[in-house]
Amino acid sequence: MLIGIIITGHGHFASGIVSTIKLLSGSQQKLTAVDFTEGMTAEELQTHLTKAVKDLGDVSGVAFFTDIPGGTPFNQAVLYHTQHKETTVMAGTNVSMVMEVLFQRELSVGQFTTVALQAGKAGVVAYKSRPRQAAADDEDGI
């Protein structure tokens, strides 16, 4: 059995991440987005999250990937987590972390979380330009 993945966040963060994942790796089973759109209440979001979990079907656990810690999507995922075993809630979601664990969903929920967090941190980088090196001159001119 696989760990089901639910991505949730403010606006269309979740559907945007899922769209990117689909573009990069094709459609994935047991992966869904729950957007927290303008005008939606926390209770409505909880209802959508609960339905999304049920729609995943038979899974070994559920991983909630959220946008920011302390935001409504994170808080509602934590609320679900407190009432259900074999769940994990992560914030600061990026494409790198989701891509890394897509094909490792047979892990335990704890191992899955560790791999996701490590990949998420590794996926945040800054570009640094490097000075170009001059081509080495051959002594014989060739």
Short mmCIF file of all heavy atoms in Angstrom, two decimals, residues 7-11 13-14 65-69 71-74 90-93:
data_model
loop_
_atom_site.label_atom_id
_atom_site.label_comp_id
_atom_site.label_asym_id
_atom_site.label_seq_id
_atom_site.Cartn_x
_atom_site.Cartn_y
_atom_site.Cartn_z
N ILE A 7 -2.01 17.73 -0.87
CA ILE A 7 -1.34 19.03 -0.84
C ILE A 7 -2.42 20.08 -0.63
O ILE A 7 -3.46 20.07 -1.30
CB ILE A 7 -0.56 19.29 -2.14
CG1 ILE A 7 0.47 18.17 -2.34
CG2 ILE A 7 0.11 20.66 -2.11
CD1 ILE A 7 1.21 18.21 -3.64
N THR A 8 -2.19 20.97 0.33
CA THR A 8 -3.17 22.01 0.63
C THR A 8 -2.45 23.32 0.94
O THR A 8 -1.32 23.32 1.40
CB THR A 8 -4.11 21.59 1.79
OG1 THR A 8 -5.14 22.57 1.94
CG2 THR A 8 -3.37 21.40 3.09
N GLY A 9 -3.11 24.40 0.63
CA GLY A 9 -2.52 25.71 0.88
C GLY A 9 -3.45 26.82 0.45
O GLY A 9 -4.54 26.58 -0.09
N HIS A 10 -3.02 28.03 0.69
CA HIS A 10 -3.81 29.21 0.38
C HIS A 10 -3.91 29.42 -1.13
O HIS A 10 -2.97 29.15 -1.86
CB HIS A 10 -3.18 30.44 1.02
CG HIS A 10 -3.21 30.38 2.52
ND1 HIS A 10 -2.24 29.71 3.24
CD2 HIS A 10 -4.09 30.89 3.42
CE1 HIS A 10 -2.52 29.82 4.53
NE2 HIS A 10 -3.63 30.54 4.67
N GLY A 11 -5.08 29.94 -1.55
CA GLY A 11 -5.29 30.20 -2.97
C GLY A 11 -5.21 28.92 -3.77
O GLY A 11 -5.77 27.90 -3.39
N PHE A 13 -2.34 27.37 -4.46
CA PHE A 13 -1.03 26.77 -4.20
C PHE A 13 -1.06 25.27 -4.45
O PHE A 13 -0.20 24.73 -5.15
CB PHE A 13 -0.62 27.07 -2.74
CG PHE A 13 0.62 26.34 -2.30
CD1 PHE A 13 1.87 26.86 -2.58
CD2 PHE A 13 0.53 25.14 -1.60
CE1 PHE A 13 3.03 26.18 -2.17
CE2 PHE A 13 1.67 24.47 -1.19
CZ PHE A 13 2.92 24.99 -1.47
N ALA A 14 -2.02 24.59 -3.86
CA ALA A 14 -2.07 23.12 -3.93
C ALA A 14 -2.28 22.63 -5.36
O ALA A 14 -1.55 21.75 -5.83
CB ALA A 14 -3.17 22.60 -3.01
N PHE A 65 0.87 17.95 2.84
CA PHE A 65 1.90 18.93 2.51
C PHE A 65 1.21 20.28 2.44
O PHE A 65 0.30 20.47 1.64
CB PHE A 65 2.53 18.61 1.15
CG PHE A 65 3.43 17.40 1.15
CD1 PHE A 65 2.91 16.13 0.97
CD2 PHE A 65 4.80 17.54 1.31
CE1 PHE A 65 3.74 15.02 0.95
CE2 PHE A 65 5.64 16.44 1.30
CZ PHE A 65 5.11 15.17 1.12
N THR A 66 1.64 21.23 3.28
CA THR A 66 0.99 22.53 3.35
C THR A 66 1.96 23.65 2.99
O THR A 66 3.17 23.44 2.93
CB THR A 66 0.40 22.79 4.76
OG1 THR A 66 1.47 23.01 5.68
CG2 THR A 66 -0.46 21.62 5.23
N ASP A 67 1.40 24.84 2.77
CA ASP A 67 2.25 25.94 2.33
C ASP A 67 3.02 26.59 3.48
O ASP A 67 4.24 26.65 3.45
CB ASP A 67 1.46 26.97 1.51
CG ASP A 67 0.22 27.52 2.19
OD1 ASP A 67 -0.14 27.06 3.31
OD2 ASP A 67 -0.42 28.42 1.60
N ILE A 68 2.36 27.07 4.51
CA ILE A 68 3.05 27.78 5.58
C ILE A 68 2.64 27.26 6.96
O ILE A 68 1.47 26.95 7.19
CB ILE A 68 2.84 29.31 5.51
CG1 ILE A 68 1.34 29.65 5.53
CG2 ILE A 68 3.50 29.91 4.29
CD1 ILE A 68 1.05 31.14 5.62
N PRO A 69 3.60 27.17 7.87
CA PRO A 69 3.24 26.73 9.22
C PRO A 69 2.37 27.77 9.90
O PRO A 69 2.60 28.97 9.76
CB PRO A 69 4.60 26.59 9.92
CG PRO A 69 5.56 27.41 9.12
CD PRO A 69 5.02 27.46 7.72
N GLY A 71 -0.67 28.54 9.21
CA GLY A 71 -1.79 28.99 8.38
C GLY A 71 -2.98 28.05 8.53
O GLY A 71 -2.86 26.95 9.07
N THR A 72 -4.12 28.48 8.05
CA THR A 72 -5.34 27.67 8.18
C THR A 72 -5.19 26.28 7.56
O THR A 72 -5.58 25.29 8.20
CB THR A 72 -6.54 28.43 7.59
OG1 THR A 72 -6.69 29.67 8.29
CG2 THR A 72 -7.83 27.62 7.72
N PRO A 73 -4.63 26.13 6.36
CA PRO A 73 -4.48 24.77 5.83
C PRO A 73 -3.61 23.88 6.73
O PRO A 73 -3.94 22.72 6.98
CB PRO A 73 -3.84 24.99 4.46
CG PRO A 73 -4.30 26.35 4.05
CD PRO A 73 -4.28 27.14 5.35
N PHE A 74 -2.52 24.43 7.23
CA PHE A 74 -1.65 23.69 8.15
C PHE A 74 -2.43 23.33 9.42
O PHE A 74 -2.42 22.17 9.86
CB PHE A 74 -0.43 24.53 8.50
CG PHE A 74 0.49 23.91 9.51
CD1 PHE A 74 1.44 22.98 9.13
CD2 PHE A 74 0.40 24.27 10.86
CE1 PHE A 74 2.30 22.42 10.07
CE2 PHE A 74 1.25 23.70 11.79
CZ PHE A 74 2.20 22.77 11.40
N MET A 90 3.31 18.47 7.06
CA MET A 90 4.52 19.23 6.80
C MET A 90 4.15 20.59 6.22
O MET A 90 3.17 20.70 5.49
CB MET A 90 5.42 18.47 5.83
CG MET A 90 5.99 17.19 6.42
SD MET A 90 6.74 16.12 5.18
CE MET A 90 5.32 15.18 4.64
N ALA A 91 4.95 21.59 6.51
CA ALA A 91 4.75 22.94 5.96
C ALA A 91 6.00 23.35 5.19
O ALA A 91 7.06 22.77 5.35
CB ALA A 91 4.46 23.94 7.07
N GLY A 92 5.84 24.38 4.35
CA GLY A 92 6.96 24.84 3.53
C GLY A 92 7.13 23.99 2.29
O GLY A 92 8.23 23.88 1.75
N THR A 93 6.07 23.41 1.84
CA THR A 93 6.12 22.48 0.71
C THR A 93 6.73 23.10 -0.53
O THR A 93 6.43 24.24 -0.89
CB THR A 93 4.69 21.98 0.38
OG1 THR A 93 4.17 21.32 1.53
CG2 THR A 93 4.67 21.05 -0.81
#
